[in-house]
Amino acid sequence: MSRKLGFGAAINEAIQIAMQTDPTVILMGEDVAGGGKREGDDIDEMGGVLGTTRGLVKSFPDRVLDTPISEMGLMGTGVGAAATGLRPIVELMFMDFLGTSLDPLLNQAAKLRYMLGGKARIPLTVRTVSGAGMQAAAQHSQSLYWITAGIPGLKTVIPSNPADAKGLLLAAIRDDNPVVFCEPKLILRTSGEVPEGDYEVPIGKAQRIREGHDVSLIGFGGTVPVCQKAADKLAREDGIECDVIDLRSLQPLDEEAILGSLEKTGRLVVVDESTPRSSVASDVAALCVDQGFDFLEAPVKRVTAPHAPVPFSRTLEQTYIPSAERVIAAVREQA
Amino acid sequence: MSRKLGFGAAINEAIQIAMQTDPTVILMGEDVAGGGKREGDDIDEMGGVLGTTRGLVKSFPDRVLDTPISEMGLMGTGVGAAATGLRPIVELMFMDFLGTSLDPLLNQAAKLRYMLGGKARIPLTVRTVSGAGMQAAAQHSQSLYWITAGIPGLKTVIPSNPADAKGLLLAAIRDDNPVVFCEPKLILRTSGEVPEGDYEVPIGKAQRIREGHDVSLIGFGGTVPVCQKAADKLAREDGIECDVIDLRSLQPLDEEAILGSLEKTGRLVVVDESTPRSSVASDVAALCVDQGFDFLEAPVKRVTAPHAPVPFSRTLEQTYIPSAERVIAAVREQA
Amino acid sequence: MNLDRTQLLEAYRRMRRIRSFEERLSDLVTAGKMGGFMHLYLGEEAVAVGVCSHLSDQDIVTSTHRGHGHCIAKGVGIAEMMAELFGRATGICKGKGGSMHIADLDKGMLGANGIVGAGIPLATGAGLSAQLRGSGEVAVAFFGDGATNQGAFHESLNMAANWKLPVLYVVENNGFGEFTPTEFVIPVKDIAVRADSYAMKSLIADGMDFFDVFEKTGEALDHCRSGQGPVLLECKTYRFGGHFVGDPLVYRSKEEAEDWIQNRDPLDGFEQQCVEASLVDASDLRQIDLEVKEELDAAVEAAEAAPMPDPSELTADVYFEEGA
Amino acid sequence: MNLDRTQLLEAYRRMRRIRSFEERLSDLVTAGKMGGFMHLYLGEEAVAVGVCSHLSDQDIVTSTHRGHGHCIAKGVGIAEMMAELFGRATGICKGKGGSMHIADLDKGMLGANGIVGAGIPLATGAGLSAQLRGSGEVAVAFFGDGATNQGAFHESLNMAANWKLPVLYVVENNGFGEFTPTEFVIPVKDIAVRADSYAMKSLIADGMDFFDVFEKTGEALDHCRSGQGPVLLECKTYRFGGHFVGDPLVYRSKEEAEDWIQNRDPLDGFEQQCVEASLVDASDLRQIDLEVKEELDAAVEAAEAAPMPDPSELTADVYFEEGA
Ligand SMILES: Cc1ncc(C[n+]2csc(CCOP(=O)(O)OP(=O)(O)O)c2C)c(N)n1
Ligand SMILES: Cc1ncc(C[n+]2csc(CCOP(=O)(O)OP(=O)(O)O)c2C)c(N)n1
Ligand SMILES: [Mg+2]
Ligand SMILES: [Mg+2]
């Protein structure tokens, strides 16, 4: 059974299920309850700055914790709690706030198990909103998953639709490793079919969402709809059939899926919302020119944001975000 | 005129010259003076945890500032001072401490000029020690230049010898952009010829350090000697002549130098001390398979650290660091 | 209190400008004419204006996500600000910054900041710069109660205290950080006590009372300027609107808000005190209200007519380039 | 003070173990037999042992770069520790952690930490976990005076105070952070006053006196365990050696150091108090000294004979893998 749910509602449902099925799951972050614990007849909760976690504090009053604005402290607290018997979901309101919360991820969560010779387990999930698209400007619009995906010891996932959001989040919460879960602004307001009940989408597996033999389009998160749109148009206008792959997981990377598609098509375009340097897009291209060298019939193209901060002005922001037009141009360039 | 200097002494000399020639240059960081301002006949300064800045506080007592252990605060203070008339050199003792100092770099220094529509200038230099090789273990051995190189608005440079260290640091200090200057542990104890006086090595220009027509070896910082060693052995044992390029600057990247070399050789191996994901190595490979596609005669190989934290044990650490043997194996694989 | 009539009228003009500017923004965002995350300063006008009335263009201020008030109090032009918020090429930041990054270095305004607490070390650096250059300038960091829970607050105040930097730290305690009441996340009644951790001077002002803020700021700046080091000034205030434009305000009681809005409006309070003491006439203030309205109409009209930024701007200003 | 003879002897044994273990390390590093960045706890033994004498294996401690003392005080075996510092496969962390990451979760020791201040939020999380699980356990964060200038300190203490977490924050004020005297970077005399920013209970102990540390810890833990929230305990102490092994110690006066070493040695002080009060005989202590020496000789011998880690270990333990 499934029904249509918004992206946020799917996430909310996943947390609800995780907390019901495991008493050690807690949710903490800035305003995840949001007034929810205040007394007063005319007082209600906000459930997060985007309303995603609304209702959870009512179901689990002791396990939904509003924290002070202290990202370093709250992230480190999450890591400490994860190492000692809880399974915390930490909300980092916007991914840009990695700036104030990096150490507990980079030097603690990611390394504790290794440094302790395998004795520790850090079942921590970090939920965070990433990317541009809401005119939130330079400090609230970054796609910094390239940082978390680059850090050994962390996993990073990014769903492209509500059903995957629910299943990937459940998998992330139940994973015994620290997992960063990105919620891209570009698709935060979309909705889609979401299965009922408890299910997981495995971490590390990409999904083919359109079958084609001419060119591989590799997208993830908010760029998946962009790839789909480009594929539609290329099929219609150029008769080019795209093999569209949704990575879903940025670390581990499903190398098999990427190389398998490349083997079939010989041409590949990777579409990444982040800036180009040190990017997942570069990793995909580098994989192709190493393991997939013999399959390559054309240059691998990366369609990314420019090497620039995210601008505020709507017209500039729209130019900043990878578009179907740019994907189409890249494909045509290859042909 | 030149004479032999250690890597640290070359850096010290550059700072000395910069402070002499510009009264707005200041040096701040944890223990950069190190007891140097204490009274007492039997008291002397340490000049940094590795002694690199020894003597500077005596020459410039007001402009060499020991800070509390407060990386976020001191980095942000550096940014604020840079925006308002000073030209600070901030020492981040180890690059791993980006974990506690990222925001002022990521969200302030790198973006202020852009966000302010071009009005601000941030002439900030961040000196930091990077990489493995001293058994300093997981939290004091990371090569995190892939993070700073990936952030639009920052520049990142990494010298491979004392002469470049001096010239690149002078260029960094005088650059009106925030520049991250890495001092790799692998070569911190080496010495070499260093010109006297005031000179700059331009940021953004790679340098060919060995000419060859068979394969391009791209290295930087501590991997340059590794490339040289591999090139020597390949010439001797296999008759393979390597074109060895020292990138010197990781952002901007000298794409012309990389592609020029690839055009000549058709084969390329990039050697990067950092972990493989979101790496400079991936960027170089991605550049090759895009702009250099027509030149490629073999897979581009990346020789990097594994996707793992840096281990403590000496034997493991030595296996962790890219070796000439691994470079040679990569080249032979390509042939 | 040593403000002459001209200064009083200017202070009122700036408070009124903030009030009218932001009421207009609220309308524009609600009407869908303006985008982005928009946080309004309504109700807190006396803090920014009370503090900035002591400052020159050379003194640096750093601000927050709630930064329009600080800009206007510091003398930034509302026409360029309005153009910025419309994302136009004529904006004070060429349309690239927006509400959370609005700034004007020419006026010593180093920027609104989308990162809570991040302005605090920047101001500390500006204070260090002033001290080392011997310029006699001061730096002022504005930030909220919530920001005092950030590590950057602690680290900065400690550094400034050690070095006796000329920095005034102004905490605008408006009772909330987003939707969370301050007392849920700060276990002390007065944030000012946090200065004691750094042996730093602190003061508390009624943030709804321009005159109290002005007086306490004067005392604080005397301390800073005379080389005695930084001061933490807590201004008790209240935001009349939501955390952002569009906030349904479900998390606070309507009564509480009404009480502040009806009885503690800083513009009303200013008028009452001035008129009672015969310092200015009410008619002077009405005249200013009118002028501000006209100024604002013109600003909106000009902004709406202005061009959007050229696409080439996307990658301009990322780096400073020699000769560019 | 309610310690019986067995407990006293065990406390002494742990202090002596720390002392002898680290003196040995110093020799080994100086002789070039051991690598890495090594920070010794010599002189501060009474702090770790005074505090940990109150703890069980279930109570969590987090530590610092100067972590051997906390490990030994918490009951971690010195043979496995020694093997770790030699980088052997038999090390407590399989040779992957080394001095700055030495840890043993089975003993509730969550790890030394190379990042100054980073253990503080980890302990806060362990306290939150204890509270939510209703386990009755406490968490203890050990950290230096220098670490109290980190944002993580401020943020953690504030959080713990708001939530009344069962966490004891122990600041080991040894007068220096690396080479910088504490008074250059902390403008208050007693770090304990920083607790006031969070309305948190604080206590000060003589860190060279086991009995004072033990007593104050007892008071603090009663407070934590009874649900009244966290405590900041400042222990005034001194490190007898340099910041790291190899430190030339040019930045502090020899007299100052000699005074502490000659007159304030925590082991001497312990012995004196115990013998004077006839709680134990000096001969008991000499017997322990001997046993510790033997234990140590064996540990070094075993470690030197142990194999280095297999190269395959390089990429093992990066992730937890189902069934692995
Ligand atoms: C580092 C960081 N964390 C969280 C946020 C999200 N955020 C924006 S404003 C705000 C509340 C700030 O509260 P306060 O400092 O009291 O200022 P006020 O909004 O009340 O003026 C929060 C949590 C942010 N922008 N930056
Ligand atoms: C985040 C971070 N900054 C700086 C350092 C370098 N460092 C290691 S120990 C130390 C001094 C710590 O002083 P304190 O907290 O007083 O502890 P002590 O060494 O005196 O025990 C410093 C600055 C570090 N390891 N981590
Ligand atoms: Mg507030
Ligand atoms: Mg200390």
Side-chain angles (χ1 to χ4, degrees), chain D residues 103-254:
Chain D
D104 186 358
L105 263 178
D106 295 339
K107 295 285 178 189
M109 162 67 192
L110 188 45
N113 213 311
I115 304 298
V116 169
I120 307 176
L122 297 185
T124 307
L128 176 65
S129 177
Q131 186 187 65
L132 291 180
R133 288 182 293 108
S135 68
E137 297 152 17
V138 295
V140 177
F142 290 100
F143 50 90
D145 45 286
T148 71
N149 293 332
Q150 285 284 29
F153 165 84
H154 173 69
E155 298 185 2
S156 299
L157 268 68
N158 185 54
M159 241 179 311
N162 278 299
W163 295 340
K164 297 205 182 303
L165 300 183
V167 184
L168 173 61
Y169 296 98
V170 181
V171 50
E172 308 180 311
N173 185 350
N174 61 9
F176 287 87
E178 289 196 346
F179 327 121
T180 299
T182 306
E183 67 265 26
F184 277 42
V185 284
I186 296 184
V188 289
K189 197 181 121 282
D190 295 321
I191 292 173
V193 307
R194 295 192 160 176
D196 298 350
S197 282
Y198 323 104
M200 187 187 290
K201 179 183 173 73
S202 66
L203 291 164
I204 298 178
D206 177 354
M208 307 312 266
D209 179 356
F210 168 84
F211 296 101
D212 197 39
V213 173
F214 183 82
E215 193 188 308
K216 300 281 165 57
T217 303
E219 183 184 339
L221 290 179
D222 285 348
H223 185 88
C224 293
R225 290 203 169 107
S226 63
Q228 296 177 78
V231 177
L232 176 62
L233 169 63
E234 178 180 5
C235 298
K236 311 269 192 192
T237 180
Y238 196 79
R239 66 167 147 74
F240 285 180
H243 170 58
F244 54 85
V245 181
D247 178 346
L249 279 168
V250 295
Y251 52 87
R252 78 178 190 196
S253 96
K254 276 168 206 53

Side-chain angles (χ1 to χ4, degrees), chain B residues 2-78:
Chain B
S2 77
R3 68 262 114 100
K4 275 215 153 173
L5 279 188
F7 200 90
I11 287 167
N12 188 297
E13 194 168 277
I15 301 173
Q16 187 92 29
I17 292 171
M19 295 187 83
Q20 264 156 11
T21 53
D22 184 345
T24 68
V25 173
I26 65 166
L27 172 68
M28 57 190 285
E30 294 158 13
D31 285 301
V32 287
K37 286 185 183 166
R38 240 187 147 184
E39 312 263 307
D41 284 347
D42 61 343
I43 302 270
D44 200 0
E45 60 167 322
M46 288 288 283
V49 75
L50 301 170
T52 310
T53 49
R54 213 175 138 75
L56 293 166
V57 68
K58 294 215 175 80
S59 310
F60 310 99
D62 297 335
R63 294 197 273 146
V64 176
L65 305 171
D66 275 343
T67 70
I69 309 175
S70 308
E71 287 83 15
M72 198 71 82
L74 81 92
M75 191 63 79
T77 296

Side-chain angles (χ1 to χ4, degrees), chain A:
Chain A
M1 276 289 287
S2 77
R3 67 262 114 102
K4 275 213 154 177
L5 278 190
F7 200 90
I11 288 167
N12 188 297
E13 195 168 274
I15 301 173
Q16 187 92 31
I17 292 170
M19 295 186 83
Q20 265 158 8
T21 52
D22 183 345
T24 68
V25 174
I26 65 166
L27 172 68
M28 57 190 285
E30 293 158 13
D31 285 301
V32 287
K37 286 185 184 167
R38 241 187 145 184
E39 312 265 307
D41 286 346
D42 61 344
I43 302 271
D44 200 2
E45 59 168 322
M46 288 288 282
V49 75
L50 301 171
T52 310
T53 49
R54 214 175 137 76
L56 292 168
V57 68
K58 295 215 175 80
S59 309
F60 309 98
D62 297 335
R63 294 197 273 146
V64 177
L65 304 172
D66 275 343
T67 70
I69 310 175
S70 309
E71 287 83 15
M72 198 71 82
L74 81 92
M75 191 64 79
T77 296
V79 177
T84 57
L86 297 183
R87 196 171 278 279
I89 308 167
V90 168
E91 176 175 306
L92 186 65
M93 198 182 295
F94 292 98
M95 194 165 205
D96 314 68
F97 306 163
L98 270 184
T100 50
S101 62
L102 185 63
D103 191 76
L105 288 172
L106 172 69
N107 287 322
Q108 315 301 327
K111 295 178 171 52
L112 263 167
R113 180 172 178 78
Y114 192 81
M115 296 189 302
L116 269 59
K119 263 193 189 169
R121 275 194 219 188
I122 314 292
L124 170 76
T125 300
V126 179
R127 284 181 46 237
T128 191
V129 171
S130 65
M134 290 186 178
Q135 273 198 272
Q139 294 171 338
H140 279 66
S141 302
Q142 294 168 88
S143 295
L144 296 176
Y145 40 67
W146 58 273
I147 295 183
T148 58
I151 298 171
L154 302 183
K155 297 182 177 180
T156 298
V157 299
I158 182 165
S160 71
N161 61 70
D164 281 4
K166 179 176 167 186
L168 274 174
L169 183 52
L170 275 162
I173 295 167
R174 291 162 179 173
D175 198 295
D176 277 331
N177 294 287
V179 182
V180 176
F181 179 91
C182 300
E183 306 172 10
K185 284 196 203 70
L186 281 177
I187 51 175
L188 220 49
R189 297 291 178 221
T190 62
S191 53
E193 296 287 318
V194 175
E196 310 221 30
D198 191 342
Y199 65 93
E200 296 176 24
V201 169
I203 295 174
K205 289 271 160 260
Q207 189 178 39
R208 168 171 295 109
I209 55 169
R210 181 181 177 122
E211 172 95 40
H213 282 74
D214 299 324
V215 58
S216 304
L217 298 186
I218 311 291
F220 47 92
T223 69
V224 171
V226 175
C227 290
Q228 283 173 305
K229 200 170 149 195
D232 286 346
K233 200 161 173 195
L234 283 163
R236 229 173 27 241
E237 297 186 2
D238 302 53
I240 294 177
E241 289 300 335
C242 298
D243 206 45
V244 182
I245 307 278
D246 176 358
L247 286 181
R248 282 173 159 177
S249 165
L250 305 182
Q251 165 56 38
L253 199 60
D254 190 344
E255 304 193 346
E256 215 175 301
I258 297 166
L259 293 170
S261 178
L262 179 64
E263 179 167 17
K264 192 168 60 174
T265 62
R267 294 175 150 72
L268 188 142
V269 175
V270 49
V271 191
D272 181 349
E273 201 196 332
S274 87
T275 47
R277 294 298 312 278
S278 304
S279 61
V280 173
S282 286
D283 285 341
V284 169
L287 172 71
C288 293
V289 71
D290 181 359
Q291 304 300 314
F293 185 75
D294 292 339
F295 312 141
L296 283 176
E297 292 167 24
V300 174
K301 290 287 172 192
R302 286 168 293 160
V303 177
T304 69
H307 185 70
V310 182
F312 165 70
S313 181
R314 181 151 190 82
T315 54
L316 290 179
E317 191 190 36
Q318 289 304 316
T319 322
Y320 185 92
I321 299 166
S323 62
E325 289 63 44
R326 286 181 53 214
V327 176
I328 292 166
V331 169
R332 288 183 179 153
E333 218 182 299
Q334 279 183 331

